[in-house]
Amino acid sequence: MGLTSRTTVYALGALAALCVALLVWLWPRFAKPGLWHVLGRLGVIGVTQVTIVAAFACAVNSSYQFFGSWNELFGNVDTAPVGVTQAAGGNGGGSVNGISSVRGASLVQPAGDQQLSRVSGLPDGPAAAAGRVESVKIIGRRTGVVDPAFVYLPPQYFQKAYHRMRFPVIVALSGYPGSIFNLAQHLRVSQTAGELQRTGQMQPTIVVMIRPTVAPPRDTECVDVPGGPQAETFLAKDLPDAIRSVYRAGHDANSWGVMGYSSGGSCALQLTMRDPGVYTTAAALSPDYKVKDDPTTGNLFGSGPGRQARIDGHDLMWRLKHLPVPQVSVLVANSKHGEKGYPETEAFLKAVKAPMRAVSILPESGSHNFPTWVREMPAALKWMNAQLTFPQDVVPRHHQEKGTVTAARPRPGGSPLRAEGREPRPTATAHK
């Protein structure tokens, strides 16, 4: 039985109910003085509580997909196949029909649809009319990471008029321990993007939903851990290379953005400010602005003389004060009442200076949860899309990469920059 299957949830629920019944039935037998009777009472209480907690935890995990399998729960994860380095053909020209047309060794492989089949509101009908969400696994050529992902392809991706066009890409990151199921079902990233594009509020965009937890159950916080998981390298190098090798995704950084909620939002800011040659736009919902060690992360920065430099490098306020400011655009969201990160968000916005640009979504109230982030999602997606160049370039006939045209087009709906290097802040009412 799979960790997230309904059979497992029902079985543990039935076991918990049985234990409660046995506790009621056996209790009179242990209601006597003496050491063994006391130990018996403690034992049946303990077993009953364990089964109830296990059933509850399994039900919550099945709903939110914190851990997708027993192997993930116990820290046993897949590694990349040896020798896999590129997509079929090796030219990075992009697939016309999505992952279904991929053959042979590829950095993007089809994956089972067990999680995807449980997501509501996905595109229904011909791909050229409704778009499509694909369940895949991304294989890191440099890092050896194998990470599941959902990839949303807009209807235009399958239409003849766009068959040689590349598309901008938004990478959506889950929080910790999080999963791609949370992004699709609870945050409704692809559904929201599809509706915005259908109503003309957003240009056609590829959306890649992926988790930044590359070595579950450890929280790697998008950090290249010395001697450990290389989370930043995977997200900043392996992931873009893999997506471009199979899909018609833009090559220039101006066509790539990254967003996330909670620790995924923290990762989005980290990736954009640390790797501006990869991602030029970020939207961070309820982020932190500094990566710290805690019981879920372990030692992220190693030891020795370079430890402090690595810590400082992942402190965004330190970077704004001591390092050249990157030419990127970021959106940060935090509720004024109900979330503890509002003061840090205000301090971050005040610290941003040209050529970096920052905008914000600051609702009066909201908690650190999906209902708050769902409210913020439409405004965040529309703002991000307005920053991205579309189309970035054109796939030549026969997908020959050598002849790719890279002339940039004007960004649709882009906001004019103000003299101080910051755009007007979206208000909380913009996403109600």
Side-chain angles (χ1 to χ4, degrees), residues 218 224-230:
R218 185 178 185 181
D224 280 349
V225 181
Q230 303 295 287

Side-chain angles (χ1 to χ4, degrees), residues 358-381:
V359 299
S360 62
I361 299 175
L362 304 174
E364 285 297 322
S365 62
S367 300
H368 196 83
N369 56 26
F370 284 110
T372 297
W373 301 324
V374 167
R375 290 177 57 216
E376 298 165 347
M377 180 59 57
L381 281 173

Side-chain angles (χ1 to χ4, degrees), residues 310-330:
R310 288 189 286 271
I311 292 174
D312 291 339
H314 287 277
D315 182 340
L316 300 186
M317 296 297 289
W318 185 92
R319 295 183 69 88
L320 288 172
K321 184 176 181 180
H322 295 94
L323 298 179
V325 177
Q327 188 171 346
V328 296
S329 301
V330 300

Side-chain angles (χ1 to χ4, degrees), residues 38-97:
V38 172
L39 293 177
R41 291 195 294 271
L42 293 175
V44 295
I45 291 173
V47 170
T48 302
Q49 288 182 332
V50 168
T51 56
I52 291 174
V53 170
F56 178 77
C58 185
V60 171
N61 183 70
S62 179
S63 177
Y64 288 94
Q65 298 280 315
F66 296 127
F67 299 98
S69 67
W70 294 105
N71 284 333
E72 285 188 8
L73 179 64
F74 295 109
N76 301 318
V77 295
D78 293 334
T79 56
V82 175
V84 175
T85 58
Q86 61 183 8
N91 57 20
S95 159
V96 174
N97 298 313

